[in-house]
Amino acid sequence: MLRWTTSKLQNILIAYWVIVPVLFYIYLAITSFSQQVSMQDMLQSVPGIALGNLLVSLMLFQAGILFFVSRFSQSKSGLLGKFTLFSIFQQLLTGNFIGAALAFFLGRSLLPTEENTTSQAKLIFYLALGFVLLFSALTAFVAWRMRGV
């Protein structure tokens, strides 16, 4: 059976959360070029593209949080374990099932060791999670409202 290490799964998840937004913005640039419309006009006139922009911005922010947290936490009971649990919920809330699965497998690969993190790192971590949760709820609400459009 293939056993993936924690660092390999972290790299895969960070790469996924960076590559998908890059591909979205390449698609947006090609579409705006072919339709001879500016990207700003597309974001303002097409609600689906604006929603996609919110989602990929959240993915980039989460990649940054994972990069930040993985520098000083590697345990299931530490901040990285809490982040993976939060990411599973957040990715499911925004409909990103691939991201949720990758976060799930990352959480499973973590070891249950104790860690001591500084209160400043915890404060930054929880503020960042609050920001992501707020914008995820906003994105889910907008997506729900767009279904009737």
Side-chain angles (χ1 to χ4, degrees), residues 61 65 68-69 72 79 82 117-132:
F61 194 70
I65 295 171
F68 169 73
V69 169
F72 55 84
L79 292 182
K82 292 175 184 171
T117 45
T118 64
S119 59
Q120 181 183 11
K122 286 181 182 180
L123 176 68
I124 293 170
F125 174 74
Y126 288 120
L127 286 175
L129 288 190
F131 175 80
V132 170

Side-chain angles (χ1 to χ4, degrees), residues 13-149:
L13 187 56
I14 288 174
Y16 174 74
W17 280 340
V18 170
I19 290 172
V20 169
V22 167
L23 291 176
F24 174 79
Y25 288 123
I26 289 172
Y27 163 77
L28 187 62
I30 291 171
T31 304
S32 70
F33 180 74
S34 68
Q35 294 183 358
Q36 297 178 350
V37 177
S38 71
M39 283 188 189
Q40 182 179 2
D41 290 339
M42 288 184 68
L43 285 170
Q44 291 176 349
S45 62
V46 182
I49 291 179
L51 184 64
N53 187 38
L54 275 173
L55 287 171
V56 298
S57 297
L58 278 171
M59 290 174 78
L60 285 172
F61 194 70
Q62 280 189 286
I65 295 171
L66 178 58
F67 184 78
F68 169 73
V69 169
S70 66
R71 295 297 166 229
F72 55 84
S73 177
Q74 290 293 320
S75 75
K76 191 175 281 195
S77 61
L79 292 182
L80 187 58
K82 292 175 184 171
F83 178 72
T84 57
L85 184 63
F86 171 81
S87 293
I88 293 167
F89 168 73
Q90 186 275 337
Q91 295 291 293
L92 289 174
L93 179 68
T94 57
N96 188 353
F97 300 113
I98 296 171
L102 289 172
F104 172 76
F105 290 125
L106 175 60
R108 283 193 55 195
S109 73
L110 297 174
L111 299 174
T113 58
E114 289 297 320
E115 293 180 347
N116 293 327
T117 45
T118 64
S119 59
Q120 181 183 11
K122 286 181 182 180
L123 176 68
I124 293 170
F125 174 74
Y126 288 120
L127 286 175
L129 288 190
F131 175 80
V132 170
L133 184 61
L134 176 70
F135 277 96
S136 296
L138 174 71
T139 304
F141 177 73
V142 169
W144 176 70
R145 294 288 293 167
M146 281 180 51
R147 288 183 192 246
V149 173

